[in-house]
Amino acid sequence: MAKKKASPNTNPKNNGATATSASVEQLLTTALERGSDTLETGRYIVTFKEGAGEAALDSFSSEHGLRVADARDFKDQAAVLEAADDADVFHFPEIGAALISGGAAQSRSLTAQAELTTDSPYETIEPEYFAFSDQVTREFMRTYGTKTEKTSGDFLRGFLQAAEMIAREFGFDQEGAIEEGVEAEVVGATWGLNVCKVPPSVRSGLGIRVAVLDTGFALNHPDFIGRPIASATFVGQPVQDLNGHGTHTAGTACGPKAPAGTTPRYGIGYRASMFIGKVLQNNGSGTTATVLAGMNWAIANRCPVISMSLGAQTGVQAAYTAAGQSALNNGLLMIAAAGNAAAPTGAPANSPTIMSVAALDQNLRPASFSDFGKIEIAGPGVDVFSSWYMPVRYKIISGTSMATPHVSGCAALWAETSPNLRALNLWKKLQATAKHLPYPATRVGAGLVQAP
């Protein structure tokens, strides 16, 4: 159990449904009950000034009388927020940030409106937001567009309805779903791998740890039987993926070189070490804190490639920027989906320390749904074939979510070529070797990612 510093002034019951240990469902229910017209959860994220971690923790306990739980008190820093019990604060040491409960933040005036003094160990205090798989965002925009702005609470409710819709067993459009035993329409390799020049590459991702932070993974998928997989959950549900999104993205980044039968090759880093972090629930929803917990775990486990097909249409969040910088400082690279709202790049991809990925169609044109603005690179993101939960086994879906693992998989291949290709060097190599496309950098970045 995480260690905490006791406080006679703190009553954990006062934190209610915005406690650090509150589940995503509790936070969603509470947000809907208060008629929220934003994606805020009611909790807050505190980002520390560089080198001020210990001072910040001391301030929480001695100055504000708060109880602190720490990710370092969990094996491999696989922090379980629900196990924080009565802690007011949950610390992510690799990032230099912490989650603070809504009740504690309000009673101590540690909210986004707080005026921080120059000698404060805190850099920023921001609202925590809900986060979704990019597929949820795309379904929301397709179904609701901007119509949900008319009534308080409709905005968040629309996202939840989109999440529930695609979380059902047949939530995604079934065209292109390939049941076990049915031949795929393509042979050899998927169109995405072919345009990224993956099949001719002699690299396999051997020795490279690739973290995929998503809805988990189908651990019983026959294409991965016998494959070592390190995993952790940060949302109070088993790692086993009942959504499909996480299995699909992990399949593209790390799937097998030669699937059985007539199934085309759909995986890139087939010998990479897989690290699966479940930061989104089976309905595709999570929060800033669940994502930060996964980021913290991936950094602690020194994964050179950290792939994230998730986010929210919010502005730049300081904690995500700090996480990206921590990754770079430790020789790691975070790669995130730009978003599917046909709008400016969402978080965490909009952070300057995280590589943002746009989606392309089979004609190598920017996908109509792909976000724009801060874009570093592009990948195949329309009608992408990859693994899915059983018994469906495989599926064809679209999104910047699908483009991102193409970049992450190629990043693993490049990282294998040299121990010097890490962090910013790996970022620059991916851009320098990308295939130039006749579109603005705000749509495709440096161009289409290419394998070594």
Short mmCIF file of all heavy atoms in Angstrom, two decimals, residues 387-417:
data_model
loop_
_atom_site.label_atom_id
_atom_site.label_comp_id
_atom_site.label_asym_id
_atom_site.label_seq_id
_atom_site.Cartn_x
_atom_site.Cartn_y
_atom_site.Cartn_z
N SER A 387 -5.14 -6.47 -35.37
CA SER A 387 -5.73 -7.42 -34.42
C SER A 387 -6.89 -6.79 -33.66
O SER A 387 -7.00 -5.57 -33.53
CB SER A 387 -4.66 -7.93 -33.46
OG SER A 387 -3.89 -6.86 -32.94
N TRP A 388 -7.75 -7.65 -33.10
CA TRP A 388 -8.93 -7.23 -32.35
C TRP A 388 -9.18 -8.26 -31.26
O TRP A 388 -8.56 -9.34 -31.26
CB TRP A 388 -10.13 -7.15 -33.30
CG TRP A 388 -11.27 -6.30 -32.82
CD1 TRP A 388 -12.48 -6.73 -32.34
CD2 TRP A 388 -11.32 -4.87 -32.79
NE1 TRP A 388 -13.27 -5.66 -32.03
CE2 TRP A 388 -12.59 -4.50 -32.28
CE3 TRP A 388 -10.41 -3.86 -33.13
CZ2 TRP A 388 -12.98 -3.17 -32.12
CZ3 TRP A 388 -10.79 -2.53 -32.97
CH2 TRP A 388 -12.06 -2.20 -32.47
N TYR A 389 -10.05 -7.94 -30.31
CA TYR A 389 -10.32 -8.91 -29.26
C TYR A 389 -11.05 -10.13 -29.83
O TYR A 389 -11.69 -10.06 -30.88
CB TYR A 389 -11.11 -8.27 -28.11
CG TYR A 389 -12.50 -7.79 -28.46
CD1 TYR A 389 -13.57 -8.68 -28.60
CD2 TYR A 389 -12.76 -6.43 -28.63
CE1 TYR A 389 -14.84 -8.23 -28.91
CE2 TYR A 389 -14.03 -5.97 -28.93
CZ TYR A 389 -15.06 -6.88 -29.07
OH TYR A 389 -16.33 -6.44 -29.38
N MET A 390 -10.95 -11.24 -29.13
CA MET A 390 -11.58 -12.47 -29.58
C MET A 390 -13.08 -12.47 -29.26
O MET A 390 -13.51 -11.87 -28.29
CB MET A 390 -10.90 -13.66 -28.90
CG MET A 390 -9.42 -13.78 -29.22
SD MET A 390 -9.10 -13.94 -30.98
CE MET A 390 -9.74 -15.60 -31.28
N PRO A 391 -13.91 -13.13 -30.11
CA PRO A 391 -13.52 -13.98 -31.22
C PRO A 391 -13.42 -13.27 -32.56
O PRO A 391 -13.17 -13.91 -33.59
CB PRO A 391 -14.64 -15.01 -31.26
CG PRO A 391 -15.85 -14.21 -30.86
CD PRO A 391 -15.35 -13.24 -29.82
N VAL A 392 -13.60 -11.94 -32.59
CA VAL A 392 -13.53 -11.24 -33.87
C VAL A 392 -12.15 -11.40 -34.50
O VAL A 392 -12.01 -11.62 -35.68
CB VAL A 392 -13.88 -9.74 -33.69
CG1 VAL A 392 -13.74 -8.99 -35.00
CG2 VAL A 392 -15.29 -9.59 -33.14
N ARG A 393 -11.13 -11.26 -33.68
CA ARG A 393 -9.74 -11.54 -34.05
C ARG A 393 -9.06 -10.44 -34.85
O ARG A 393 -7.97 -10.02 -34.54
CB ARG A 393 -9.61 -12.88 -34.77
CG ARG A 393 -8.17 -13.35 -34.90
CD ARG A 393 -8.10 -14.80 -35.31
NE ARG A 393 -6.72 -15.25 -35.48
CZ ARG A 393 -6.37 -16.52 -35.67
NH1 ARG A 393 -7.30 -17.46 -35.73
NH2 ARG A 393 -5.11 -16.84 -35.80
N TYR A 394 -9.69 -9.96 -35.93
CA TYR A 394 -9.12 -8.89 -36.75
C TYR A 394 -10.20 -7.88 -37.12
O TYR A 394 -11.38 -8.21 -37.16
CB TYR A 394 -8.51 -9.44 -38.05
CG TYR A 394 -7.50 -10.52 -37.86
CD1 TYR A 394 -7.77 -11.83 -38.24
CD2 TYR A 394 -6.26 -10.23 -37.29
CE1 TYR A 394 -6.84 -12.84 -38.06
CE2 TYR A 394 -5.32 -11.24 -37.11
CZ TYR A 394 -5.61 -12.54 -37.49
OH TYR A 394 -4.69 -13.53 -37.29
N LYS A 395 -9.75 -6.66 -37.42
CA LYS A 395 -10.72 -5.63 -37.81
C LYS A 395 -10.04 -4.54 -38.62
O LYS A 395 -8.84 -4.31 -38.49
CB LYS A 395 -11.37 -5.03 -36.58
CG LYS A 395 -12.75 -4.47 -36.84
CD LYS A 395 -13.52 -4.37 -35.54
CE LYS A 395 -15.00 -4.34 -35.84
NZ LYS A 395 -15.82 -4.28 -34.62
N ILE A 396 -10.83 -3.86 -39.42
CA ILE A 396 -10.37 -2.73 -40.22
C ILE A 396 -11.08 -1.48 -39.72
O ILE A 396 -12.31 -1.40 -39.80
CB ILE A 396 -10.64 -2.94 -41.72
CG1 ILE A 396 -9.86 -4.15 -42.25
CG2 ILE A 396 -10.28 -1.68 -42.51
CD1 ILE A 396 -10.18 -4.52 -43.68
N ILE A 397 -10.35 -0.52 -39.17
CA ILE A 397 -10.93 0.73 -38.69
C ILE A 397 -10.02 1.89 -39.08
O ILE A 397 -8.93 1.70 -39.64
CB ILE A 397 -11.16 0.72 -37.16
CG1 ILE A 397 -9.86 0.43 -36.40
CG2 ILE A 397 -12.24 -0.28 -36.79
CD1 ILE A 397 -10.02 0.51 -34.89
N SER A 398 -10.47 3.11 -38.78
CA SER A 398 -9.76 4.31 -39.21
C SER A 398 -9.57 5.27 -38.06
O SER A 398 -10.33 5.26 -37.09
CB SER A 398 -10.52 5.01 -40.34
OG SER A 398 -10.76 4.15 -41.44
N GLY A 399 -8.55 6.15 -38.18
CA GLY A 399 -8.33 7.19 -37.19
C GLY A 399 -6.86 7.55 -37.08
O GLY A 399 -5.98 6.81 -37.54
N THR A 400 -6.59 8.69 -36.46
CA THR A 400 -5.19 9.01 -36.15
C THR A 400 -4.67 7.99 -35.14
O THR A 400 -3.46 7.82 -35.01
CB THR A 400 -5.05 10.44 -35.60
OG1 THR A 400 -5.91 10.61 -34.46
CG2 THR A 400 -5.42 11.47 -36.65
N SER A 401 -5.59 7.31 -34.46
CA SER A 401 -5.21 6.21 -33.57
C SER A 401 -4.47 5.12 -34.34
O SER A 401 -3.58 4.47 -33.79
CB SER A 401 -6.46 5.59 -32.92
OG SER A 401 -6.97 6.40 -31.92
N MET A 402 -4.87 4.89 -35.57
CA MET A 402 -4.26 3.85 -36.39
C MET A 402 -2.95 4.32 -37.00
O MET A 402 -2.02 3.54 -37.23
CB MET A 402 -5.22 3.41 -37.51
CG MET A 402 -6.43 2.59 -37.08
SD MET A 402 -7.56 3.38 -35.94
CE MET A 402 -7.11 2.51 -34.42
N ALA A 403 -2.87 5.63 -37.28
CA ALA A 403 -1.63 6.19 -37.84
C ALA A 403 -0.51 6.17 -36.81
O ALA A 403 0.65 5.90 -37.14
CB ALA A 403 -1.90 7.62 -38.31
N THR A 404 -0.84 6.43 -35.55
CA THR A 404 0.17 6.54 -34.50
C THR A 404 1.01 5.28 -34.33
O THR A 404 2.24 5.36 -34.27
CB THR A 404 -0.50 6.95 -33.18
OG1 THR A 404 -1.13 8.22 -33.36
CG2 THR A 404 0.50 7.03 -32.05
N PRO A 405 0.42 4.08 -34.22
CA PRO A 405 1.26 2.89 -34.05
C PRO A 405 2.11 2.56 -35.28
O PRO A 405 3.11 1.85 -35.16
CB PRO A 405 0.26 1.78 -33.73
CG PRO A 405 -1.04 2.26 -34.28
CD PRO A 405 -1.01 3.75 -34.09
N HIS A 406 1.72 3.06 -36.46
CA HIS A 406 2.62 2.91 -37.61
C HIS A 406 3.92 3.66 -37.35
O HIS A 406 5.02 3.17 -37.62
CB HIS A 406 1.96 3.45 -38.90
CG HIS A 406 0.99 2.49 -39.54
ND1 HIS A 406 -0.34 2.49 -39.24
CD2 HIS A 406 1.17 1.51 -40.48
CE1 HIS A 406 -0.96 1.55 -39.97
NE2 HIS A 406 -0.05 0.95 -40.73
N VAL A 407 3.78 4.88 -36.79
CA VAL A 407 4.97 5.67 -36.47
C VAL A 407 5.74 5.03 -35.32
O VAL A 407 6.97 4.92 -35.35
CB VAL A 407 4.57 7.12 -36.11
CG1 VAL A 407 5.79 7.92 -35.66
CG2 VAL A 407 3.91 7.79 -37.32
N SER A 408 5.02 4.56 -34.30
CA SER A 408 5.66 3.95 -33.14
C SER A 408 6.40 2.67 -33.52
O SER A 408 7.51 2.42 -33.04
CB SER A 408 4.62 3.67 -32.06
OG SER A 408 3.97 4.85 -31.66
N GLY A 409 5.78 1.86 -34.37
CA GLY A 409 6.44 0.64 -34.81
C GLY A 409 7.70 0.93 -35.60
O GLY A 409 8.75 0.31 -35.39
N CYS A 410 7.62 1.90 -36.53
CA CYS A 410 8.81 2.29 -37.29
C CYS A 410 9.87 2.89 -36.38
O CYS A 410 11.08 2.70 -36.59
CB CYS A 410 8.43 3.27 -38.40
SG CYS A 410 7.51 2.53 -39.77
N ALA A 411 9.44 3.62 -35.34
CA ALA A 411 10.38 4.18 -34.38
C ALA A 411 11.16 3.07 -33.69
O ALA A 411 12.37 3.19 -33.45
CB ALA A 411 9.64 5.03 -33.35
N ALA A 412 10.49 1.96 -33.37
CA ALA A 412 11.17 0.83 -32.74
C ALA A 412 12.21 0.23 -33.68
O ALA A 412 13.30 -0.17 -33.25
CB ALA A 412 10.15 -0.23 -32.33
N LEU A 413 11.86 0.15 -34.97
CA LEU A 413 12.84 -0.39 -35.94
C LEU A 413 14.05 0.52 -36.04
O LEU A 413 15.20 0.05 -36.08
CB LEU A 413 12.18 -0.54 -37.31
CG LEU A 413 10.92 -1.41 -37.43
CD1 LEU A 413 10.59 -1.67 -38.90
CD2 LEU A 413 11.08 -2.72 -36.68
N TRP A 414 13.82 1.83 -36.08
CA TRP A 414 14.94 2.77 -36.15
C TRP A 414 15.77 2.72 -34.87
O TRP A 414 17.01 2.76 -34.92
CB TRP A 414 14.43 4.19 -36.39
CG TRP A 414 14.12 4.50 -37.82
CD1 TRP A 414 12.89 4.68 -38.38
CD2 TRP A 414 15.07 4.67 -38.88
NE1 TRP A 414 13.00 4.93 -39.72
CE2 TRP A 414 14.34 4.94 -40.06
CE3 TRP A 414 16.46 4.60 -38.95
CZ2 TRP A 414 14.95 5.15 -41.30
CZ3 TRP A 414 17.08 4.81 -40.18
CH2 TRP A 414 16.33 5.07 -41.32
N ALA A 415 15.11 2.61 -33.73
CA ALA A 415 15.83 2.56 -32.46
C ALA A 415 16.74 1.33 -32.39
O ALA A 415 17.81 1.37 -31.76
CB ALA A 415 14.84 2.55 -31.30
N GLU A 416 16.31 0.25 -33.03
CA GLU A 416 17.12 -0.97 -33.05
C GLU A 416 18.43 -0.77 -33.82
O GLU A 416 19.43 -1.42 -33.53
CB GLU A 416 16.31 -2.11 -33.68
CG GLU A 416 17.05 -3.44 -33.74
CD GLU A 416 16.36 -4.46 -34.63
OE1 GLU A 416 15.25 -4.17 -35.14
OE2 GLU A 416 16.92 -5.55 -34.81
N THR A 417 18.42 0.14 -34.79
CA THR A 417 19.60 0.30 -35.65
C THR A 417 20.79 0.93 -34.93
O THR A 417 21.93 0.73 -35.33
CB THR A 417 19.28 1.17 -36.89
OG1 THR A 417 19.01 2.52 -36.49
CG2 THR A 417 18.09 0.61 -37.66
#
